[in-house]
Amino acid sequence: MNCEILLDQISARCDKFRADLTAAAQNLRDLNRRLEQILQQLHKDIAVRDESFAAQFNQYCLDLRRCLDEDEPFWTQARAQIRSCKDSDWTGDLTLAAKGLNSRAKTLSRASDEFTTAYDIFYRNYTGFTAAKLNVWLLTSCQNDVDSLTGKILFLARDIAKKTERNRRPHVFG
């Protein structure tokens, strides 16, 4: 596989991962709002009305884990293919695409930060909540994997951008 095709595939998967993370963060914020309502109801000794919360939260965690597990082989393979490419394979004509990937990786990093923030808020509210058995350990595992994978993608994008910039031919003026 040549570097241009690899770069296009990585860019597309980066966009998909960002979209998935953005949706996951929004769903977690929605679940957090429901948890806050449940906590208020418990604090006021009101019967909890949201009986499906625990099942939906646990399903959310399972779906998120499945999504991350499906994406992991692609990223592992892509990183291995990039390491197998010579520095000279990253030609200067790929500079614009490499900068685009770097930009996509940065937006992915922001989406990862939003997910981490949503996780932190949820976890803070969850602490001490014993009314239902929630798979928060699975959510914590997913959040750690998201942080790790995002860091690897950022490093990968920066490395590619450096290699293409280095191989760019100098412009001749005049």
Side-chain angles (χ1 to χ4, degrees):
M1 179 178 304
N2 72 16
C3 293
E4 185 175 3
I5 294 170
L6 185 59
L7 195 56
D8 289 341
Q9 287 178 348
I10 292 171
S11 293
R13 287 301 280 260
C14 196
D15 285 341
K16 178 195 173 298
F17 189 35
R18 180 190 50 78
D20 290 347
L21 267 183
T22 301
Q26 182 58 46
N27 290 340
L28 188 55
R29 283 190 288 271
D30 292 341
L31 288 166
N32 184 54
R33 278 193 279 282
R34 290 172 61 188
L35 178 62
E36 286 175 341
Q37 288 176 342
I38 290 170
L39 290 172
Q40 288 174 356
Q41 291 168 356
L42 289 173
H43 182 69
K44 295 177 184 178
D45 287 330
I46 299 172
V48 175
R49 297 178 208 130
D50 193 348
E51 296 173 3
S52 63
F53 174 76
Q56 289 177 354
F57 174 79
N58 290 337
Q59 187 60 47
Y60 164 79
C61 291
L62 289 172
D63 291 343
L64 183 60
R65 176 82 268 160
R66 181 188 45 75
C67 181
L68 290 172
D69 288 346
E70 287 173 0
D71 285 350
E72 183 65 31
F74 169 80
W75 290 110
T76 302
Q77 181 183 16
R79 289 174 49 232
Q81 287 176 336
I82 287 171
R83 283 192 294 267
S84 70
C85 293
K86 298 176 199 165
D87 285 357
S88 60
D89 291 343
W90 298 100
T91 59
D93 60 332
L94 297 175
T95 302
L96 187 59
K99 287 182 180 182
L101 173 62
N102 200 18
S103 177
R104 284 180 173 90
K106 288 177 184 176
T107 59
L108 170 63
S109 178
R110 283 192 286 278
S112 175
D113 290 345
E114 289 176 18
F115 179 75
T116 299
T117 300
Y119 165 79
D120 289 343
I121 292 169
F122 182 88
Y123 195 80
R124 196 173 329 125
N125 287 330
Y126 168 75
T127 305
F129 176 69
T130 58
K133 183 170 170 125
L134 301 179
N135 291 338
V136 176
W137 61 270
L138 188 57
L139 181 62
T140 302
S141 170
C142 291
Q143 190 272 329
N144 289 334
D145 289 350
V146 164
D147 277 350
S148 175
L149 184 57
T150 301
K152 291 173 184 176
I153 292 169
L154 269 171
F155 179 78
L156 175 119
R158 287 184 197 131
D159 193 41
I160 291 172
K162 280 187 219 174
K163 289 177 182 179
T164 58
E165 190 65 34
R166 199 176 315 128
N167 292 332
R168 207 168 141 198
R169 291 192 174 91
H171 296 293
V172 178
F173 295 104

